[in-house]
Amino acid sequence: MHKSKHSTPSPADMAVRMTTAEATVGALIAHGIDTVYALPGVHNDPLFDALFKAADHIRTVHTRHEQGAAYLALGAALATGKPQVYSVVPGPGLLNSAAALLTAYGMNAPVLALIGQISQSAIGRGLGHLHEIRDQAGIIARLVDFCARIRAPTQAATRVAQAFRAMATGRPGPAALECAIDVWGRSAPASATPPVPPLPPQPIDEDAIRDAARRLAAAKRPLIVAGGGAQDAAAEVAELSRLLQAPVLAYRRGRGVLDSRDPLSVTLPLGRELWGEADVVLGVGTRLSYGYTQWGIDQELAVIRIDADPEEPERFARPAVALIGDAGPIVRHLIDALRARHRPSRRAEMEERQAKMRRRLDKLAPQIGFLDAIRAELPEDGIFVDEVTQIGFAARLLLPVYKPRTFLSPGYQDNLGWGYATALGAQHARPDVPVLSIAGDGGFLFTSNELATAMHHRIPLTAIVFNDGAFGNVRRIQEEQFGNRLIASDLANPDFVRYAQSFGAEAERARTPQQLRAALKRAFKRRDGPTLIEVPVPAMPSPWEFIFMPRVRGVR
Ligand SMILES: Cc1ncc(C[n+]2csc(CCOP(=O)(O)OP(=O)(O)O)c2C)c(N)n1
Ligand SMILES: [Mg+2]
C-alpha cells in the first residue's frame, strides 16, 4: 500500500531489530497469551530472557517436571476454552511432556508447545548433541496436527500466527513450534506482524439443516448427546432440548452442557435406556462412541451429527445427516429451522426415571457420600477435575454439574496422574473460582511434585487424595477376574498430610463425608496457597456395571 511520507506507519510495518525469541514472545502476546508454563534449559535461554523482558505482559510459571508444564497449560486451556502455551527443552523435555500433549490432542484442546532443538546445522546428523533425539519433528508431527520450525527471527511472528490459526480451525487441538538453540538468540529486523485471524467458518449447509430439522421435528423420541465439542454451545443445546423435550446425555466431556438439575439432563445408564428407545439421535461435538460401540444401532435410529471435524461423522458409520462446523451456530440454525410445535412436558416421566436409576446407583454408597460433601461445598461455578479413580468414576455418573467447563475429565486417554497438574493449571487460569482436584493415592503421586509449583506461584488449588493403599481399580479386577492373584497393585504411601505440609501447603485428614465437608469449607476460603485433604478409604464397590452395559438395540 502506498503511504505518504507523513503518514504514521502501522505497527505491522515497523521492522525493529529483535531476536527470534523476542519476536516469538511478541507474537504470543499479540495473540492474547498472558502466561507461559515452562521448564527452562540451555536450548531455550534466549526465550526465557525475552520472557523476562516482557514480564509486564506475560507471566512465566515454571514447574518441576515437563509433564507438569504441559498439564498446567492443558488445564488452563480446558478451564478457559482459550489457547495456552508451554515451553520445554528438546529430547527428554519433549518426551516428558508427551503424555499431556497426547491428552490435549484427544481432548481437542488448544495447547501450543514451544520446543527447543539442537543447533540448526546439526539437526539430523546424529552427532550426539545434548538432548538430541532422532527426528524430533517427526515425533512431534505424530502428536499434533500442526508443527513447524522457526528458522529465523523474520519467521517467528508468521509461524506463531499459523500455529494459532491451526489450533482454532476445524477440530481444535494442540500445535507445536520448534526452534534451534542457535536461532532463538539470532537477531534481525523483524516486524511485529499482527495476528492472522482464524480462517472464516465454513458456511453452514442449509440443506442439511432443513433435513436435520425435519427429522427432529418428526421424531417421537429424540435424544441429544453432548460431548466436549458442545461446551461452548450450552445455551443453544438447552434451548433445543426444551423445544423438543429431548433428554441430553452427557457422560464425561459433555457434563455441564445441560445443568444436572434439569430432569432432561442424564448420564450414562439412563442415557443407554433412552438410546434404546430413540428414533433420532443428535450428537453434538461427540464421537457417540458408547452408542456405536456398545449400545447398538439399527434402521429405526437416524443419527444426526454436528462436528467441527469433517472426517469425524463417518468414522463409525455414515450418519443420516452430518453438519460440519461450530456447534453453537449450527444448533442455533437448527432451532430457527424447526417449526415450533408444542410438545408435552416430559418432566414427570424423566423425574421418575431419574429417581429409579438413582436407587440403582445407590449401591455406590461410599462414593456418593463423598460426592455429596463435595457438591455441597464446591460453588456452582467451581471446577471439578476428575481422575482415574473410584470417586472419579462415580463422579462421571453422579456428580451434579451446573455449568459448562466446570467438569474436566481426561477424555479417551483416561491417563492416570493427569489430575493434580491439570487442576493446578485450571486454578492458575481461573483464580476467580475454586478448583478441586480429586485423585487416588496412585494417580496423585504422578504429579504431586507440583505442590512445589503451587507453593511457589501461590496457586490456591484444593486437592483430595482418596487413599486406599492400592491401585484399587487394578486390584479389584485381579480379585474378581483373576482368582485374587494380586500383583503390582498394592502401594506403599507417604503420610500425605505430612508430605503436603513439608512443601508448606495446608493439609488435613478427613475420615467421613462430614469431616470432608468441613475441610473443604476451610480450603475454599484460603486463596493464598494450596491445600491437600487426605481421605483414607476402604476398597469401594465397582462402578463398571453402570459404564460397560449390554447392547439395547441392533445386532452386530
Ligand atoms: C497413564 C496410565 N497408566 C496406567 C493406567 C491404568 N490404571 C487405571 S486405574 C489405575 C489405578 C488407579 O489407582 P488410584 O489412583 O489409587 O485409584 P483407585 O482405583 O485406587 O481409586 C491404573 C494403574 C492408566 N489409566 N493410565
Ligand atoms: Mg488407590
Side-chain angles (χ1 to χ4, degrees):
M1 192 173 53
H2 176 76
K3 290 222 166 71
S4 84
K5 70 177 184 203
H6 296 298
S7 70
T8 323
S10 76
D13 299 329
M14 288 199 293
V16 180
R17 194 161 188 91
M18 58 178 115
T19 65
T20 306
E22 287 163 354
T24 301
V25 170
L28 295 179
I29 295 167
H31 282 84
I33 294 298
D34 60 15
T35 305
V36 174
Y37 301 97
L39 204 152
V42 67
H43 292 78
N44 295 337
D45 283 347
L47 175 65
F48 284 78
D49 193 45
L51 288 166
F52 178 91
K53 291 177 188 156
D56 286 348
H57 305 284
I58 193 162
R59 290 170 293 184
T60 302
V61 174
H62 59 303
T63 61
R64 302 303 291 270
H65 187 286
E66 282 93 355
Q67 69 170 345
Y71 280 128
L72 260 75
L74 174 59
L78 295 171
T80 61
K82 298 206 177 81
Q84 304 288 339
V85 177
Y86 80 89
S87 178
V88 293
V89 296
L94 162 67
L95 294 184
N96 281 341
S97 77
L101 202 52
L102 174 70
T103 308
Y105 181 82
M107 301 182 76
N108 309 313
V111 171
L112 173 61
L114 295 180
I115 302 163
Q117 245 296 12
I118 62 172
S119 58
Q120 189 117 293
S121 59
I123 294 171
R125 296 177 62 198
L127 300 174
H129 280 239
L130 175 68
H131 301 344
E132 180 170 356
I133 182 170
R134 271 197 293 168
D135 192 16
Q136 175 163 284
I139 292 168
I140 298 169
R142 291 289 169 272
L143 297 171
V144 296
D145 284 330
F146 176 87
C147 61
R149 194 185 308 148
I150 304 171
R151 291 163 193 268
T154 48
Q155 283 185 354
T158 308
R159 289 281 176 268
V160 169
Q162 287 170 333
F164 275 85
R165 174 179 271 201
M167 289 193 289
T169 303
R171 177 194 285 259
L177 293 172
E178 286 181 293
C179 186
I181 184 169
D182 55 331
V183 173
W184 277 131
R186 201 175 287 168
S187 63
S191 37
T193 311
V196 181
L199 291 175
Q202 176 171 333
I204 294 174
D205 179 345
E206 293 298 340
D207 289 341
I209 290 280
R210 274 189 294 276
D211 188 3
R214 187 181 48 75
R215 289 170 186 273
L216 285 167
K220 293 198 175 59
R221 309 290 284 180
L223 172 67
I224 299 171
V225 184
Q231 286 292 343
D232 295 327
E236 292 86 353
V237 169
E239 190 176 333
L240 185 64
S241 159
R242 197 162 51 243
L243 265 176
L244 296 170
Q245 286 298 298
V248 177
L249 160 62
Y251 173 44
R252 298 176 52 190
R253 307 263 348 268
R255 299 294 312 281
V257 171
L258 186 63
D259 190 320
S260 297
R261 289 166 293 201
D262 188 324
L264 289 167
S265 174
V266 305
T267 71
L268 269 198
L270 190 47
R272 168 179 165 274
E273 275 184 31
L274 295 160
W275 179 277
E277 300 161 10
D279 51 357
V280 178
V281 162
L282 171 67
V284 186
T286 167
R287 296 178 176 86
L288 287 177
S289 55
Y290 276 85
Y292 278 123
T293 62
Q294 294 187 37
W295 305 338
I297 189 125
D298 56 38
Q299 296 296 322
E300 316 306 311
L301 179 60
V303 175
I304 303 169
R305 305 268 314 252
I306 299 175
D307 209 282
D309 178 355
E311 300 193 357
E312 177 57 38
E314 304 210 354
R315 286 213 165 100
F316 282 116
R318 179 184 286 258
V321 187
L323 291 153
I324 305 304
D326 265 5
I330 291 178
V331 178
R332 172 59 52 207
H333 276 234
L334 270 180
I335 292 167
D336 294 344
L338 273 172
R339 230 165 280 146
R341 175 165 73 88
H342 180 73
R343 288 187 182 240
S345 167
R346 292 182 71 178
R347 171 172 283 273
E349 174 211 339
M350 290 302 299
E351 277 173 352
E352 197 189 315
R353 295 178 74 167
Q354 298 263 19
K356 201 167 148 213
M357 183 56 73
R358 176 58 198 242
R359 285 194 289 279
R360 278 185 55 203
L361 284 158
D362 274 345
K363 70 176 280 195
L364 305 178
Q367 291 99 312
I368 290 173
F370 291 119
L371 290 175
D372 285 349
I374 288 170
R375 193 63 276 181
E377 292 303 325
L378 186 66
E380 280 196 20
D381 52 2
I383 298 172
F384 178 95
V385 182
D386 182 27
E387 248 286 358
V388 192
T389 181
Q390 304 314 308
I391 298 291
F393 300 148
R396 297 168 188 185
L397 300 167
L398 280 156
L399 181 76
V401 183
Y402 306 134
K403 304 233 161 124
R405 296 196 183 282
T406 62
F407 187 88
L408 310 184
S409 186
Y412 64 82
Q413 287 302 336
D414 226 2
N415 56 339
L416 188 63
W418 91 311
Y420 189 76
T422 302
L424 205 50
Q427 182 69 88
H428 183 262
R430 290 292 312 274
D432 51 317
V433 294
V435 176
L436 177 67
S437 161
I438 60 121
D441 47 336
F444 179 64
L445 282 187
F446 276 52
T447 53
S448 63
N449 58 328
E450 303 300 351
L451 269 161
T453 303
M455 284 304 298
H456 189 91
H457 298 282
R458 293 276 153 206
I459 305 173
L461 175 66
T462 300
I464 311 174
V465 181
F466 291 93
N467 180 5
D468 64 352
F471 286 137
N473 206 59
V474 177
R475 184 183 60 192
R476 195 178 48 226
I477 292 170
Q478 292 169 350
E479 284 166 5
E480 291 176 358
Q481 298 171 34
F482 292 87
N484 204 28
R485 292 184 296 280
L486 304 181
I487 178 167
S489 56
D490 56 335
L491 299 175
N493 283 320
D495 175 328
F496 286 106
V497 172
R498 281 169 51 213
Y499 172 74
Q501 285 169 339
S502 74
F503 286 87
E506 292 290 332
E508 61 179 297
R509 196 165 281 115
R511 296 180 186 280
T512 63
Q514 293 70 24
Q515 288 176 6
L516 178 59
R517 235 190 117 159
L520 284 172
K521 201 187 281 297
R522 285 188 281 277
F524 291 150
K525 282 207 193 100
R526 198 172 292 136
R527 299 314 288 160
D528 62 346
T531 303
L532 182 86
I533 303 165
E534 184 199 351
V535 181
V537 288
M540 285 190 232
S542 170
W544 295 110
E545 68 186 90
F546 303 110
I547 297 169
F548 295 115
M549 294 171 286
R551 101 185 0 255
V552 275
R553 66 191 304 160
V555 282
R556 250 181 221 288

